[in-house]
Amino acid sequence: MATQKHSTRRHFGSLAVLAAGSIVAGTLGAAAPTQAAVSYLALAYQPSYEYDAKVVYGQAHGIGESPVFDTARINALNDCQKNGGLTGGGQCEVRVVATNECAAVAAFRGTKIGDTGLNWYIATATSYNQQLAEQIAIANNGGGAVVVSACPQY
């Protein structure tokens, strides 16, 4: 009967490769986590405008969101123009762009010290919380009402 001799060299070789792999893996560490996706939230707004007691264009607002800054702005303008009703939203302007935050636009039509007539006052704010963004926008405006606000959906 022949006896088999186990090669101790083979076991040590496998152990050395395993140990080296563990050292390299420990040195390199785990793969870096992926960065959170960026979301741009743009809000557009058009106050109403009257001339000679006729509405030239009415209030409109729009919301746009995208991982691309310019696309969010374009989406907000398109949405505002779509919401412009009979007047078409031709005077829509992007008022604020937030990055991974909520945003709000507040407006009021009135007079402030030194005004000679009625004017539109518009202010914006961004925050991690929609209600807080709305409150800050109103405070920044010195009053008025929130005309559009939103938070990122993705």
Side-chain angles (χ1 to χ4, degrees):
M1 172 170 166
T3 58
Q4 284 188 335
K5 221 174 169 184
H6 291 357
S7 168
T8 55
R9 185 175 286 164
R10 184 181 311 160
H11 290 297
F12 285 129
S14 298
L15 184 58
V17 170
L18 181 61
S22 297
I23 292 170
V24 170
T27 303
L28 296 178
T34 59
Q35 189 174 6
V38 173
S39 178
Y40 295 102
L41 176 72
L43 302 181
Y45 176 67
Q46 164 189 287
S48 64
Y49 176 72
E50 298 169 8
Y51 181 77
D52 223 10
K54 294 181 183 173
V55 174
V56 177
Y57 51 87
Q59 281 194 26
H61 68 273
I63 301 169
E65 185 177 1
S66 173
V68 178
F69 181 85
D70 288 334
T71 303
R73 291 175 55 85
I74 291 167
N75 290 345
L77 286 171
N78 288 340
D79 191 42
C80 185
Q81 290 170 352
K82 181 181 75 178
N83 292 327
L86 298 175
T87 59
Q91 302 299 315
C92 291
E93 293 179 28
V94 173
R95 304 293 180 157
V96 63
V97 179
T99 306
N100 293 336
E101 284 192 307
C102 303
V105 177
F108 83 89
R109 187 172 182 200
T111 57
K112 290 186 177 180
I113 296 173
D115 286 350
T116 57
L118 290 176
N119 291 305
W120 276 102
Y121 294 93
I122 300 168
T124 65
T126 64
S127 177
Y128 65 93
N129 175 288
Q130 187 172 1
Q131 185 178 14
L132 186 57
E134 292 173 351
Q135 292 170 351
I136 294 169
I138 291 171
N140 288 345
N141 204 34
V146 173
V147 292
V148 59
S149 70
C151 288
Q153 297 299 308
Y154 59 93

